[in-house]
Amino acid sequence: MKSIRLRQPGGLDHLESVELPDPGEPRTGEVRVRLHASSLNFHDLGVVSGHMPSGDGRIPMSDGAGVVEAVGPEVTEFASGDRVVSTFFPGWLDGRPEIADFSTTPGDGVDGYAREVVVAPWTSFTHAPRGYSHAEAATLTTAGLTAWRALVENGGLRAGDSVLVLGTGGVSIFALQFAKAMGAAVIATSSSEEKLERAKALGADHVLNYRSETQWGQRVRDLTGGRGVDHVIEVGGPGTLAQSITATRVGGHIALIGVLTGRGGEVPTAAMMLRQQRLQGLVVGSRRHQIDLVRAIDATGIKPVIDRAFALADIAEAFELQRSGGHFGKIVLEF
């Protein structure tokens, strides 16, 4: 089978196309899946660029979608022909999180989905939403589920709430779509006027250019009548957190899901304490969260925003686009 392998972490030039042996038939508790798509996340970029080192020879990509070709004994949830999408933490089925690393995450601690066929435990997948293409399904594993957990599972989003999304990457665009579908108001930020117009077309109630509106936190509060938003999708980390605290209402919820501006820095703890806000870090979600997400998508008909698709062999070019920040929504691989 065709696959991509990372000779050693440290750069896109270390990604190579290889032919690997077919993994064979599934054993007890396993499924064999013919993969047709993956999607790019900043976690994947961190792995292939060496910022989040994995093992030499690792097959990258945490997201995968395809068709079940065979099921092993004792597998009752899937049948041959089912369309499926991978889970980020195959061992976290339900309940509270107990995983604090990526040792079990495909594309990082174990081989991922930049390949044509995989045999894995059945818990490594859920059913894909009805009517989704494989490329659309592949966007859910990381970005879709992160946005869903941040707003719904952890945030308890309700109709009438207000949401601030930072940037126009995969998680933020999913959060915009979920929030609007559930009756919330959305404020979106970007440094690109073109991207802000696209966010408005998706339903954003207000948009802010954070380069021209350097004190965007106060601007968000002004737009909400001085109250502040109920939820923030915080993807920046130390470089944006102070503004997010300013933008959030007293008792509001800040979901820390990214560190694009750095891994450490000062946090205005006094401001957060006085405004009695909840700052919660999260990494994707459980298999149960993903099942709930798929059910919600089936009910609402939400479709992901895919900026561009690449062939598997063009994976380095896809990562170059991601690294440049030129995309809106998701970048996918189709094979």
Side-chain angles (χ1 to χ4, degrees):
M1 65 172 178
K2 292 181 175 64
S3 178
I4 300 295
R5 186 167 59 191
L6 187 62
R7 288 197 307 274
Q8 61 185 45
L12 302 184
D13 56 337
H14 294 164
L15 291 165
E16 62 180 359
S17 296
V18 296
E19 289 282 344
L20 296 179
D22 186 280
E25 294 303 307
R27 297 171 294 183
T28 300
E30 293 181 334
V31 293
R32 175 186 167 98
V33 175
R34 174 74 57 174
L35 295 162
H36 292 289
S38 182
S39 77
L40 278 64
N41 302 285
F42 278 98
H43 179 90
D44 302 303
L45 180 59
V47 170
V48 300
S49 63
H51 297 304
M52 302 179 69
S54 62
D56 290 351
R58 178 74 70 231
I59 298 172
M61 308 308 293
S62 59
D63 300 0
V67 179
V68 174
E69 290 191 326
V71 300
E74 300 181 13
V75 175
T76 59
E77 188 161 335
F78 301 110
S80 180
D82 285 350
R83 297 167 75 94
V84 294
V85 56
S86 66
T87 56
F88 192 87
F89 293 117
W92 181 17
L93 305 187
D94 201 353
R96 296 180 178 178
E98 296 183 354
I99 302 172
D101 58 33
F102 301 107
S103 60
T104 61
T105 297
D108 192 331
V110 297
D111 282 335
Y113 296 110
R115 49 177 156 170
E116 292 182 310
V117 181
V118 64
V119 173
W122 67 270
T123 57
S124 300
F125 294 91
T126 69
H127 290 279
R130 294 190 300 269
Y132 261 39
S133 69
H134 296 303
E136 289 169 337
T139 67
L140 300 180
T141 298
T142 302
L145 186 54
T146 298
W148 173 261
R149 181 182 168 201
L151 288 178
V152 180
E153 304 289 351
N154 289 359
L157 181 71
R158 297 181 298 179
D161 281 357
S162 54
V163 177
L164 171 65
V165 299
L166 305 189
T168 54
V171 175
S172 295
I173 294 302
F174 265 122
L176 190 166
Q177 292 176 288
F178 294 155
K180 293 305 298 181
M182 297 180 70
V186 176
I187 302 172
T189 72
S190 174
S191 62
S192 164
E193 291 296 330
E194 178 186 356
K195 290 180 178 179
L196 290 174
E197 286 301 314
R198 294 183 68 180
K200 286 172 64 176
L202 282 175
D205 299 273
H206 301 283
V207 295
L208 295 173
N209 189 315
Y210 61 78
R211 293 206 188 279
S212 57
E213 295 266 11
T214 56
Q215 299 302 308
W216 49 266
Q218 183 58 52
R219 179 66 178 139
V220 168
R221 202 182 301 181
D222 293 341
L223 288 170
T224 55
R227 180 176 182 269
V229 293
D230 297 288
H231 309 271
V232 177
I233 302 300
E234 171 55 77
V235 301
T240 54
L241 185 54
Q243 292 290 328
S244 290
I245 290 170
T246 299
T248 306
R249 70 166 173 84
V250 174
H253 167 234
I254 302 172
L256 181 61
I257 62 96
V259 288
L260 297 181
T261 63
R263 294 177 176 272
E266 293 187 5
V267 176
T269 51
M272 178 175 286
M273 177 187 68
L274 287 172
R275 294 184 67 76
Q276 303 180 65
Q277 294 163 345
R278 174 163 59 100
L279 174 65
Q280 180 156 7
L282 69 141
V283 180
V284 195
S286 69
R287 187 173 187 272
R288 169 51 57 185
H289 291 152
Q290 186 162 310
I291 291 171
D292 292 342
L293 166 60
V294 170
R295 187 171 66 248
I297 288 172
D298 284 339
T300 61
I302 289 172
K303 287 291 190 83
V305 176
I306 295 177
D307 186 278
R308 216 177 138 189
F310 292 81
L312 182 61
D314 297 327
I315 186 172
E317 184 182 351
F319 275 119
E320 287 286 6
L321 174 60
Q322 183 186 34
R323 189 157 58 183
S324 75
H327 61 291
F328 182 94
K330 294 294 293 178
I331 303 167
V332 300
L333 303 174
E334 291 187 291
F335 46 96

